Amino acid sequence: MRRLIVMIGLILAIMSPARAEWRHARTDHFILTIDDSEENARDFAVRLERFDAALRLLYGVPDNPDQHLRPVAIYAFKEGLFFAACRCPAMAGFYSARTDSSFIMTLHLPNIDRKAKTGGWSSQALLLHEYTHHFVSTNFPIAYPYWFQEGFAEFNANTSFEKDGSLIIGYPANYRGDGLLNGSKPSLKRLFDPNQYGYGDNPDLIYGYGWLLTHYLMLKPERRGQLAAYLSAMNAGVPSLKAAQQAFGDLAALDKELSGYRRSLLLAPLRVPPGKPVSAVVTTLTPGEAAMLPVYAAMRTGGSKLYRIGLAQSAQGIAKRYPDDAVVAAQLAEIETVARRFDKADAAADKALAVDPNSVLALLQKGSVGIARAHEAKASDPAVWTAARAWFLKANRADPNQVMPLYLYYMSFVSAKTKPSPGAIKGLMRAAVLAPESDDVRMALAKQFLLDGDAATARTLLQPIAFTPHSLRAKNIPLDALHLIDAGKAEEAKALLTKGDEDDD
C-alpha cells in the first residue's frame, strides 16, 4: 500500500522535464502557466486577452475591474503532464469553476494548432470553448440549459485571429460535422427538456446540435431576439420546453429549419474590429515552483484519499529540496490540508510564514487546519473557533480582495453551528461579487438570504446552480429548492438547503 501511495505522487513529480522553463504570463483577465519561451508565453496570453476583449465588445460587456483581481488560471500542458495531472484520457481540456481560483487545464499542442484550419479541431478551439464557460458564468450568471451552455461555447470557440487585430467569431464547428450529418438526430424536446426526455448516450450530439441551434438562432435575421426571449422566460421560472414554445413558436417548424440548415451553406460569422492594444507581464517560475507544479496541478483536479496522500508525499520530497521557497512551502501546506494530514500542513504553513509572513495561502491553511480540528473535536468552547478563524482575518488583511479568506471566515461560523456575524455576511457578499462563478459561495449566500427572509434574492442566486446539468438519477437539491420558492414555500426551501448544515461531516 505504501509503495502504491509513493508511486502515485512520484509519477507526477517526474513528468516535468528538469530543464523546463516554466512561465507565468499575466494579463488583466488571465494568468497563463506554460512551458515555453518568454516570447511565446507573451503571445499566447495576449491572444487570450484579445479574445476576452472581443467577447466583451460583441456581447456588450464592460470591463469589470473586480475581475482583474481574480484572473482565471490557464494551465497549458504538454501531453505527458496534462494526462498525468488530470487523469482524463478521453479529454483534452476542462474548466473548473472554483472558489479559491477558477482554472482551465488544457493540452498545449502548438504543432497541431499551426496546421489546423479554421473550424477544425485544435487545442486553441478547446481553450476558447472552456474560457467561454468562464466568461458566461462570471458576466451573465443566470440559468442556462445544457444545450445552450455547450452550443454557445462552441460558437465562440471557432474564432480566427486576423493580422489587422480583428477577430472573426462563429465559424462552422467542422469537427462536429460527422456527428451532425451521420449521427442520430436528437429531438428538440430532448434538447429543451433533458430532465424528462434524457440527455442521451452521446454527448457529442448534444454539443453538435447545441452548436447548430445556437448558430442558427444567433445569426438568422428572422429569428433575432428569440433566443433572448427564451432565456428570459426560463429565468422567470417558465419550464425550458414551454419557454421554447413561447419564444420559437412551432417547434416542428424549427426542427425542419434546423435539419435544412445543417446541410446548407451556413450563415456568415461575425467580425469584431480590433480593440485596444493589450500586453502581458511574463515571469519565470522559481526552480522550486517549477518542480512543485505537476503535483500542485494534480491536487487541483481532485482524487481519492489514497491519491491525495500520494501527492502529499511527493510534495514533501520536493519541498525538502527547496527549503527557502515560501511559495513551495505554502503549496505543500495546501496539498497536506487537502490530504487531511493536518500536523504536516500546519508545519508547512509555519515554514512558509517564517519566510513570508503575508503569504495568504499559508495563512488560509493555518485557519483551515484549525477549523478542521475544532470540527473533528466538536469543540464547544467559542475561544477555540475564534482562534482558528483569526487566521482568515489575517489573510484578509494581507489581501482584502482574496475570495477564500472571506468565504472561509463565513463558513467557520457554519462549521461552529453559530450565527454568522454581520461582518462575516458582508464578507460573503463581497466574495459573491469577486467570484460569481463559485457555486459554493452562491449556495452559502442563498442559504443566508433564506435565513434572513429574502427568498427572491435566494432564488436568483440558486438559478445558475439549479440548471447545471445533472444526472437523471442525481437529486438536484438547488432546483427542488427553487421550485419550493416559486410555490411560495420559502420555509421548506430553507429547511431543504440547510439540512446538511445540521449534521457533522
Side-chain angles (χ1 to χ4, degrees):
M1 179 72 72
R2 179 176 174 79
R3 184 179 179 184
L4 177 60
I5 291 173
V6 174
M7 288 303 294
I8 291 171
L10 288 179
I11 192 172
L12 288 151
I14 65 176
M15 292 309 298
S16 180
R19 297 185 178 179
E21 288 289 334
W22 284 98
R23 318 282 183 184
H24 281 328
R26 170 71 189 260
T27 65
D28 284 345
H29 300 95
F30 301 91
I31 297 180
L32 169 68
T33 302
I34 189 170
D35 172 17
D36 213 325
S37 69
E38 181 175 344
E39 180 182 5
N40 288 344
R42 180 176 289 103
D43 289 346
F44 195 141
V46 165
R47 194 160 63 248
L48 289 172
E49 192 66 27
R50 286 176 58 198
F51 181 66
D52 173 86
L55 293 184
R56 291 179 187 281
L57 186 59
L58 184 59
Y59 301 117
V61 180
D63 197 7
N64 181 352
D66 279 336
Q67 292 181 4
H68 299 185
L69 303 171
R70 185 180 158 86
V72 63
I74 309 291
Y75 296 104
F77 289 162
K78 294 173 183 176
E79 290 179 76
L81 177 53
F82 174 82
F83 290 116
C86 81
R87 307 178 313 286
C88 49
M91 299 172 62
F94 63 93
Y95 168 59
S96 181
R98 291 171 57 109
T99 305
D100 54 355
S101 170
S102 295
F103 70 90
I104 297 170
M105 191 174 291
T106 179
L107 271 172
H108 178 43
L109 302 171
N111 291 335
I112 290 178
D113 286 0
R114 278 193 291 268
K115 298 175 184 177
K117 296 181 180 178
T118 303
W121 189 92
S122 65
S123 59
Q124 173 181 283
L126 185 144
L127 175 54
L128 300 187
H129 173 110
E130 300 302 337
Y131 180 66
T132 297
H133 285 316
H134 180 74
F135 182 85
V136 169
S137 63
T138 52
N139 294 292
F140 302 104
I142 60 173
Y144 298 99
Y146 183 33
W147 69 267
F148 181 74
Q149 288 180 33
E150 301 304 337
F152 186 66
E154 287 288 79
F155 179 87
N156 293 294
N158 289 281
T159 290
S160 68
F161 293 78
E162 303 299 302
K163 292 181 179 180
D164 66 354
S166 64
L167 277 72
I168 300 178
I169 298 176
Y171 279 106
N174 292 327
Y175 49 87
R176 301 289 180 193
D178 286 345
L180 284 170
L181 295 175
N182 302 318
S184 58
K185 179 174 176 288
S187 68
L188 288 184
K189 286 185 176 181
R190 172 167 285 179
L191 289 182
F192 293 135
D193 193 356
N195 287 321
Q196 179 174 346
Y197 297 100
Y199 288 100
D201 298 326
N202 186 352
D204 284 343
L205 285 179
I206 303 299
Y207 278 56
Y209 274 89
W211 164 77
L212 186 70
L213 182 55
T214 301
H215 199 275
Y216 184 69
L217 292 173
M218 288 187 65
L219 298 180
K220 185 71 172 177
E222 292 81 0
R223 293 279 180 178
R224 185 172 292 124
Q226 292 183 355
L227 184 57
Y230 163 72
L231 294 174
S232 178
M234 265 195 68
N235 281 272
V238 180
S240 174
L241 182 58
K242 185 175 180 180
Q245 292 166 336
Q246 292 176 356
F248 306 134
D250 185 355
L251 294 186
L254 175 60
D255 194 31
K256 185 177 180 180
E257 291 175 34
L258 203 61
S259 294
Y261 188 58
R262 69 174 176 152
R263 297 184 180 277
S264 65
L265 184 65
L266 298 185
L267 294 163
L270 304 172
R271 180 183 179 277
V272 182
K276 298 178 181 178
V278 297
S279 60
V281 176
V282 181
T283 57
T284 301
L285 272 64
T286 67
E289 291 170 349
M292 188 67 86
L293 176 61
V295 183
Y296 189 73
M299 177 274 296
R300 302 204 73 194
T301 64
S304 67
K305 180 179 179 180
L306 183 67
Y307 182 76
R308 287 180 273 126
I309 292 173
L311 292 179
Q313 291 194 348
S314 182
Q316 281 281 354
I318 294 168
K320 287 179 181 178
R321 303 203 308 267
Y322 304 96
D324 299 322
D325 193 319
V327 173
V328 169
Q331 289 180 342
L332 171 62
E334 183 180 6
I335 293 168
E336 293 286 16
T337 302
V338 171
R340 300 189 70 79
R341 304 199 315 175
F342 296 135
D343 288 347
K344 294 181 182 297
D346 213 14
D350 285 339
K351 196 165 189 177
L353 291 171
V355 180
D356 179 6
N358 290 317
S359 169
V360 173
L361 185 57
L363 292 167
L364 289 175
Q365 305 322 304
K366 293 290 289 184
S368 296
V369 167
I371 294 296
R373 285 171 171 164
H375 184 79
E376 288 183 350
K378 298 182 179 179
S380 58
D381 183 355
V384 173
W385 295 94
T386 298
R389 68 171 61 100
W391 291 103
F392 302 139
L393 294 175
K394 292 179 181 179
N396 177 252
R397 286 194 291 270
D399 187 346
N401 292 307
Q402 286 270 0
V403 171
M404 288 302 285
L406 302 170
Y407 173 69
L408 291 177
Y409 184 72
Y410 174 88
M411 293 303 297
S412 71
F413 290 91
V414 177
S415 295
K417 296 181 171 56
T418 57
K419 184 178 179 180
S421 67
I425 297 172
K426 184 178 179 181
L428 184 65
M429 295 175 69
R430 175 59 178 163
V433 171
L434 292 168
E437 78 276 21
S438 169
D439 286 353
D440 290 338
V441 172
R442 283 184 162 273
M443 181 63 79
L445 195 55
K447 292 178 185 179
Q448 185 61 52
F449 273 108
L450 279 172
L451 289 169
D452 292 341
D454 188 346
T457 302
R459 186 191 190 284
T460 299
L461 288 162
L462 287 171
Q463 279 183 312
I465 313 172
F467 286 89
T468 298
H470 288 71
S471 164
L472 291 178
R473 293 180 293 276
K475 188 168 180 61
N476 189 341
I477 292 176
L479 185 60
D480 291 343
L482 192 148
H483 290 327
L484 287 171
I485 292 172
D486 288 344
K489 300 178 180 179
E491 287 299 314
E492 292 182 34
K494 179 173 67 176
L496 176 64
L497 290 181
T498 58
K499 181 179 179 182
D501 297 339
E502 302 299 321
D503 306 319
D504 289 333
D505 292 338

